[in-house]
Amino acid sequence: MDYHRQPRYVDRVESYAAQCSTDGYERAKDETVSVTDGLALLLVAPPGAGKGTQAPLLASHYDIAHISSGELLRLNVAEGTRIGEVATEYLARGDLVPDDLVIDMLTVPVLEAYRNGGFVLDGFPRTLRQAEEAQRVARQVGGIQLQAVIHLVVPRDELRRRLVDRAEREGRSDDTETTVAHRLEVFDAQTEPLLGYYAERGLVVDIDGEQPVENVYSDIVSAADRLRASRATDGSDT
Ligand code: AP5
Ligand code: MG
């Protein structure tokens, strides 16, 4: 229950590095220094915007991993793990689970995915602190560069409509009217500021998420390819 007693993410970066090749951390760093080595995409968008719909399409298109913080948390809850025990009440309320817990859960899978070609992150980072810690780990291991932060833009009424529909079809426990309203407030208060943080770094692409799924997808691919090409040319560090 007391996840703070677990090894913190920085320790886990070191332990990841020790595991990831027989030559240890130095070799791992050497393998990730080129900016073109891995593809790193983030989906930052409110509940119902289509993160979980688009992420698998992008993962398949670029042959990279899809990592969803929400799906991983729900899996931990279903399996009754230590993380799941802590996360349950936050998920039920529609609140964000504590930053340290999410960072601990994701650091190793994200680093492994990057080493194997890249990732599309669906739902992480979700707070400024998560973004700053992720950037610190990225710098520590060296060579991880974000190519694009995709912001799916969808009007509030449409978001609510989609989540009510999904509740009827799939019965996700946090898709009740009250919890959806709270998740949207949490997005505005805690996640929306991330867009400013990444915009300052020239990474944010606004995509019209109210189009048919395949049009949203092709707009994301065009924008990601464009940003990726320009960043490979100027080689800037984010
Ligand atoms: P998470 O699982 O990430 O949920 P969410 O952000 O609330 O988003 P959703 O999964 O509801 O929506 P989505 O954008 O994936 O849309 P989807 O593609 O499904 O997080 C859940 C909880 O986990 C959080 O509340 C928090 O407690 C915790 N958590 C997760 N990450 C965390 C973190 N980093 N830090 C702290 N806590 C964290 O689409 C929705 C519906 O619309 C679907 O039915 C879909 O079929 C439909 N749809 C999609 N695209 C279209 C389209 N273009 N046209 C019409 N319908 C569409
Ligand atoms: Mg989702």
Side-chain angles (χ1 to χ4, degrees):
M1 190 75 177
D2 182 10
Y3 59 85
H4 292 287
R5 287 204 199 125
Q6 298 292 318
R8 300 297 303 277
Y9 70 96
V10 173
D11 303 327
R12 297 182 63 174
V13 171
E14 298 295 341
S15 77
Y16 159 76
Q19 289 161 20
C20 69
S21 89
T22 48
D23 301 354
Y25 191 36
E26 289 308 316
R27 165 102 181 270
K29 280 163 74 178
D30 290 346
E31 285 172 355
T32 56
V33 282
S34 164
V35 293
T36 54
D37 269 352
L39 182 56
L41 300 176
L42 307 186
L43 293 177
V44 177
K51 302 182 296 294
T53 302
Q54 295 298 328
L57 302 175
L58 297 167
S60 161
H61 177 76
Y62 291 113
D63 196 19
I64 55 179
H66 167 204
I67 300 177
S68 161
S69 48
E71 290 298 332
L72 281 174
L73 287 166
R74 285 186 285 279
L75 191 67
N76 274 278
V77 170
E79 291 181 351
T81 66
R82 173 189 64 85
I83 288 174
E85 278 176 30
V86 179
T88 301
E89 59 180 289
Y90 294 91
L91 289 163
R93 288 197 304 265
D95 282 324
L96 298 184
V97 308
D99 288 332
D100 287 342
L101 188 73
V102 182
I103 290 163
D104 265 359
M105 178 180 79
L106 289 177
T107 298
V108 169
V110 167
L111 290 173
E112 281 172 353
Y114 192 78
R115 200 167 155 266
N116 290 318
F119 53 77
V120 51
L121 264 175
D122 156 6
F124 178 90
R126 223 163 166 119
T127 64
L128 278 173
R129 169 137 188 274
Q130 289 178 15
E132 286 162 0
E133 299 288 359
Q135 188 185 30
R136 201 152 76 84
V137 172
R139 287 210 171 119
Q140 187 176 356
V141 297
I144 297 185
Q145 181 166 15
L146 293 181
Q147 272 79 33
V149 175
I150 308 297
H151 173 218
L152 301 172
V153 181
V154 179
R156 284 296 147 109
D157 286 352
E158 172 67 6
L159 295 175
R160 289 193 199 91
R161 192 190 63 71
R162 287 182 187 179
L163 294 177
V164 167
D165 283 357
R166 190 176 66 186
E168 282 169 14
R169 276 199 321 277
E170 297 175 20
R172 207 173 102 175
S173 61
D174 58 352
D175 278 348
T176 66
E177 203 179 320
T178 316
T179 313
V180 164
H182 185 58
R183 281 157 60 203
L184 290 168
E185 287 168 1
V186 167
F187 176 84
D188 290 342
Q190 299 190 56
T191 306
E192 213 267 344
L194 273 186
L195 294 168
Y197 172 88
Y198 286 121
E200 281 173 13
R201 291 156 177 76
L203 287 166
V204 176
V205 190
D206 286 341
I207 300 287
D208 176 1
E210 209 184 2
Q211 315 171 76
V213 169
E214 52 279 16
N215 297 22
V216 177
Y217 163 68
S218 60
D219 280 3
I220 296 174
V221 169
S222 307
D225 287 348
R226 213 171 39 243
L227 263 179
R228 192 184 185 195
S230 70
R231 298 195 71 74
T233 309
D234 73 21
S236 50
D237 174 30
T238 52

